[in-house]
Amino acid sequence: MDRTVRASALFFLIMLTFYISGVRAGLRGKSFLGVFVLGLLLIGIAFLTGYFSPRQPKTVALDVGLSFLRLILVFLSLFWVQDLISKEIERRTVMFSLAYPVPRAHYLLGRYLAIQTMSVLVALGMAVLLWGAVALAGGSYEQQFPVNLGWPYWIALSGIVLDAAVVSAFALWIATVSTTPMLPLAAGLIFAAVGKSLGAVMDFLARGADGDAALAARFDPIIGLIRWILPDLSRLDWRAAALYNQPMDGTLMGWSICMALAYAGIMLLAATLSFSRREFF
């Protein structure tokens, strides 16, 4: 029993080592600094766009800011997957990490948790700045329908973080099977774009494709197949309550969270299986 506890503690400490080293490497990387500075500039742009709307400046600023934050967080997650995993595999420096007497899954899980921790930290930092930018947008003008910067705002932020977690899990799996370090970044961007537009395409076809029955009949089977392969990331966009004070459907949100966690779990399992069988010699 004592031997089992010691082995479990050792495995946990080694995974924690992977986690801490991943966080340090990610925060020191040039991609983090560059994209984070870009994110700050985009939040400034979101603040300025509020002045282009004479009646709803705060709504416009919040909408633009959340869109930029969603984009930046996905970019950062993909850059971190590339820096912390793909480049280590390409340079064979991953062999130093795999020399520990633990399963390779500990390395992947530690790196993935490090990426999610950094995503949460960046999201919180930018969310605070965006909150201030929206509060100041429009000056003293009081719009007729105010935005809700309370808990609906932070729920919208959690959906953005969860969206980035799903995309980074997919990119992590690509990194374990790819021999090209740029492939996880490119595939992750395509995956994110398709996942975010899948819901809109499905709704368009469900409405009859604006009367074009032939178009709906042609693409409906294809979209029906894709929906079983890729997650509908648009279901994690919960900004309506913060923008327009619309009521939130707790049941739908719960199923969306289950979808995201299940897909991320499947991707992590696939990444673990492929990484454990990969030869680095």
Side-chain angles (χ1 to χ4, degrees):
M1 184 69 178
D2 292 339
R3 184 177 300 176
T4 303
V5 172
R6 291 178 183 177
S8 300
L10 177 61
F11 287 172
F12 175 77
L13 290 176
I14 294 177
M15 187 179 69
L16 185 62
T17 301
F18 294 146
Y19 167 79
I20 295 175
S21 64
V23 172
R24 290 177 176 175
L27 294 178
R28 290 198 303 260
K30 294 181 179 179
S31 60
F32 168 76
L33 180 60
V35 179
F36 187 70
V37 171
L38 178 60
L40 296 180
L41 292 176
L42 293 179
I43 289 178
I45 294 175
F47 170 74
L48 295 176
T49 55
Y51 289 94
F52 289 95
S53 177
R55 295 185 178 181
Q56 305 290 333
K58 297 184 185 297
T59 303
V60 173
L62 180 58
D63 192 17
V64 173
L66 289 176
S67 298
F68 282 146
L69 180 56
R70 190 177 182 127
L71 180 64
I72 290 300
L73 207 60
V74 167
F75 265 106
L76 266 180
S77 298
L78 294 177
F79 276 124
W80 280 324
V81 170
Q82 181 183 356
D83 288 342
L84 300 182
I85 300 172
S86 295
K87 288 187 177 179
E88 285 196 359
I89 293 176
E90 180 194 21
R91 299 168 181 169
R92 297 295 190 271
T93 55
V94 70
M95 298 303 300
F96 296 103
S97 300
L98 299 182
Y100 289 100
V102 293
R104 294 182 178 184
H106 287 66
Y107 169 80
L108 286 181
L109 186 59
R111 286 292 195 255
Y112 181 75
L113 292 178
I115 293 172
Q116 303 318 309
T117 299
M118 291 184 292
S119 295
V120 171
L121 293 176
V122 171
L124 288 175
M126 289 190 175
V128 171
L129 294 176
L130 178 60
W131 191 96
V134 172
L136 296 175
S140 59
Y141 175 77
E142 293 293 336
Q143 60 185 49
Q144 183 179 2
F145 302 101
V147 298
N148 193 333
L149 295 178
W151 62 266
Y153 173 74
W154 299 102
I155 288 180
L157 178 68
S158 65
I160 293 174
V161 172
L162 190 56
D163 173 88
V166 175
V167 175
S168 59
F170 173 81
L172 181 68
W173 170 61
I174 296 295
T176 59
V177 298
S178 171
T179 57
T180 305
M182 291 297 296
L183 184 59
L185 176 61
L189 290 175
I190 296 174
F191 172 83
V194 174
K196 290 174 174 56
S197 59
L198 183 60
V201 175
M202 291 173 57
D203 291 341
F204 175 73
L205 293 177
R207 294 193 303 266
D210 289 341
D212 192 342
L215 180 65
R218 184 186 310 167
F219 288 99
D220 189 64
I222 300 176
I223 299 300
L225 177 62
I226 293 177
R227 67 180 297 186
W228 288 102
I229 301 175
L230 299 179
D232 183 4
L233 297 179
S234 65
R235 295 184 180 274
L236 300 176
D237 191 349
W238 303 326
R239 72 182 73 185
L243 291 173
Y244 312 112
N245 278 300
Q246 293 183 0
M248 307 182 73
D249 190 338
T251 302
L252 182 60
M253 290 178 58
W255 282 112
S256 300
I257 293 173
C258 291
M259 172 205 68
L261 294 178
Y263 195 87
I266 292 173
M267 290 295 99
L268 289 176
L269 179 60
T272 299
L273 294 176
S274 59
F275 194 65
S276 62
R277 298 173 182 176
R278 182 164 180 173
E279 298 292 339
F280 295 98
F281 301 100

